[in-house]
Amino acid sequence: MSANKPQLYESLEPSLGVFLGRVFRHWRSAVNKAVAHLGMTESRWTALMLLKKTGEGCTQQALAKSLMIELPSLTRTIKQLQEQGLIERRPDPNDRRAHCLWLTDSGREMVDELAGYILAIRREMYEGLSDEQLNVFADVLLRMEVNAQNCLTKLEEA
Amino acid sequence: MSANKPQLYESLEPSLGVFLGRVFRHWRSAVNKAVAHLGMTESRWTALMLLKKTGEGCTQQALAKSLMIELPSLTRTIKQLQEQGLIERRPDPNDRRAHCLWLTDSGREMVDELAGYILAIRREMYEGLSDEQLNVFADVLLRMEVNAQNCLTKLEEA
DNA sequence: AATGGATACTTAGCATGCTAAGTAAGTTCA
DNA sequence: TGAACTTACTTAGCATGCTAAGTATCCATT
C-alpha cells in the first residue's frame, strides 16, 4: 500500500498546543483592545460575565470552578473588580470563611455594555467558517480538554 | 420556517476564546509536568525546538518571528537557555547589533530527548479524534488566527 | 468537648505573554 | 557627510495563569 498521506493537522507548528496558545493570545489582545476604554481586561470581563451566569451570591470557590481557574488566580481579579466598584463581597451568612459575590448596579451595566463588544469579536473570529466546521471544532476542543486532563492525571500518578 | 437550531459551538462557554485558553493551559500544564525533570518548561522547550527548525545561526529576531512572539518575550527565555548551557549566542559577523543563536551539543541532545515526551502528549491530546475531525480543527484554527489578526488590525485603525 | 482533617480564602512568588521606552548600530538621502 | 529613520536588542513593569504555604473556620469522630 501507499504511505499514509500527510494530514493537514500535522502542519500545526510547532505543535498543536503552541498553536492553540497563539490563537488564544491573539483573541485576548483583540478583546483587551476593544474594552480597554471601559477600564476592562479579558480576565476581569470573564469573571464579571461568569458571575452573572453562575448566579450572584455565589462564593469565590464556586466562581473559580465556573472559570476553571484556581482560587488564588481569582483573588487578584476580584480585588480589582471590587476596587472598580463593579462587584461587592458580602460575608456568607452560613460560613464565616466564605464570601458571597454580588454585582453592583454599575457592574450590571458593565456586563451589558461589554456583551456587544464581545459578540462583535466572536463574529470576526467565526468569519468565513461554516456551522459544520465550527461544530466539529467545538467537538474537538471539548474532547481535547478531557484528553488534556486525563494526560495530566496520568503524569501525576507516575 | 422554524427558528435556527442551536449549534454545538454556541455552547463553548463562557466564550470561544476563553475556552481556547483553557485547553491551552491544560496542555501546557501537561507539557511542563512531563519535562520538569529535565529542567525544561514549555516556553524554553518551544524556543529550543523552533531554533532547530528555523535553522541554527539565525538571529533572535528571526526566532521570535518563528515563534510569533515579541522580542522582549524571547530575551528572557534565551537568557535561561544560555544559563542552562543549551544554546550559545555569537555575534553576527554582518551586523554588530545582532546575535546568532546556536544549539550546544547538550542543547541538541535535549531537543532529541524532549521530542519523545512531546509526541506522547500530542497522541494523548488526539485520543479518540479522527483524521477528518483533526483536519477540520486545524483548518478552523488556521482561519481563526487570520481572523484574529484582522480583528486586531481593525481595532488599531479605529 | 477536644482533636484531626477538610475547606475557603490570602499572600508570596514563579512563568510567560505583552507594551513602552532606551541604546547601539545600520541605512538613506539631501 | 551628517541628519533622520529604522532595526536589533535590552530593561522595566504589567497581566494573568500557577503552586506552595499560611490562617481561619467548619466538620466528623472519639
Side-chain angles (χ1 to χ4, degrees):
Chain A
M1 310 312 255
S2 65
N4 291 335
K5 68 175 177 205
Q7 303 287 339
L8 173 61
Y9 68 85
E10 289 169 358
S11 70
L12 292 180
E13 289 302 339
S15 95
L16 160 81
V18 174
F19 208 98
L20 274 179
R22 198 176 274 176
V23 177
F24 166 68
R25 288 201 314 276
H26 290 151
W27 169 83
R28 183 163 66 181
S29 294
V31 170
N32 280 337
K33 195 147 282 181
V35 302
H37 69 287
L38 296 169
M40 275 287 115
T41 65
E42 182 261 332
S43 71
R44 295 210 287 275
W45 157 70
T46 307
L48 217 50
M49 198 176 125
L50 251 285
L51 173 53
K52 186 169 178 179
K53 186 161 281 174
T54 306
E56 293 186 48
C58 69
T59 62
Q60 295 186 200
Q61 190 60 250
L63 182 54
K65 195 166 246 173
S66 284
L67 285 163
M68 295 184 71
I69 61 177
E70 300 302 317
L71 266 177
S73 306
L74 187 56
T75 297
R76 195 196 295 127
T77 304
I78 284 183
K79 189 183 284 183
Q80 294 166 338
L81 288 169
Q82 205 177 7
E83 281 163 4
Q84 290 186 289
L86 299 171
I87 64 172
E88 266 182 273
R89 271 162 34 120
R90 302 191 198 143
D92 185 328
N94 305 314
D95 187 338
R96 279 184 300 159
R97 292 167 305 176
H99 297 276
C100 298
L101 302 173
W102 299 86
L103 291 169
T104 62
D105 289 343
S106 50
R108 281 186 209 101
E109 279 169 33
M110 181 65 90
V111 171
D112 292 340
E113 188 162 1
L114 288 167
Y117 291 99
I118 303 307
L119 184 61
I121 289 176
R122 175 183 287 228
R123 284 221 185 90
E124 298 243 29
M125 291 293 287
Y126 289 171
E127 182 77 28
L129 297 165
S130 67
D131 283 351
E132 288 69 31
Q133 283 176 300
L134 288 170
N135 284 334
V136 174
F137 180 74
D139 210 19
V140 171
L141 262 191
L142 286 160
R143 175 67 195 237
M144 280 188 177
E145 184 167 23
V146 174
N147 286 351
Q149 287 188 332
N150 288 342
C151 186
L152 251 177
T153 306
K154 270 192 213 169
L155 286 164
E156 269 155 16
E157 283 164 3
Chain B
M1 298 298 154
S2 66
N4 291 334
K5 67 174 181 206
Q7 302 287 339
L8 174 62
Y9 68 86
E10 290 169 358
S11 71
L12 292 179
E13 288 302 339
S15 97
L16 159 81
V18 174
F19 207 99
L20 275 179
R22 199 174 273 175
V23 177
F24 166 67
R25 288 202 314 276
H26 290 151
W27 170 82
R28 184 165 64 181
S29 294
V31 170
N32 280 337
K33 195 148 281 180
V35 301
H37 69 286
L38 296 169
M40 275 286 114
T41 65
E42 182 262 331
S43 70
R44 295 211 286 275
W45 157 68
T46 308
L48 218 49
M49 198 176 124
L50 250 286
L51 173 53
K52 187 168 178 181
K53 187 162 283 177
T54 307
E56 291 187 49
C58 70
T59 62
Q60 295 185 200
Q61 191 61 253
L63 182 54
K65 194 166 246 175
S66 286
L67 286 163
M68 294 185 72
I69 61 177
E70 301 302 317
L71 266 177
S73 306
L74 187 55
T75 298
R76 195 197 293 126
T77 304
I78 284 180
K79 190 183 284 183
Q80 293 166 338
L81 288 169
Q82 203 178 8
E83 280 163 4
Q84 289 186 288
L86 300 172
I87 63 172
E88 265 182 273
R89 272 164 32 121
R90 303 191 198 142
D92 184 329
N94 305 313
D95 186 340
R96 280 184 299 159
R97 293 168 305 176
H99 298 276
C100 298
L101 301 173
W102 298 85
L103 291 168
T104 61
D105 288 343
S106 49
R108 279 186 211 101
E109 278 168 34
M110 181 65 90
V111 171
D112 292 340
E113 188 160 3
L114 288 167
Y117 291 98
I118 302 308
L119 184 61
I121 289 176
R122 173 182 289 228
R123 284 221 185 90
E124 299 243 28
M125 291 293 287
Y126 288 170
E127 184 76 28
L129 296 166
S130 68
D131 283 351
E132 289 70 30
Q133 283 176 299
L134 288 170
N135 284 333
V136 173
F137 179 75
D139 211 18
V140 171
L141 262 190
L142 287 160
R143 176 67 195 240
M144 282 188 176
E145 183 166 25
V146 172
N147 287 352
Q149 287 188 332
N150 288 341
C151 186
L152 251 178
T153 307
K154 272 192 212 170
L155 286 164
E156 270 155 15
E157 283 164 1

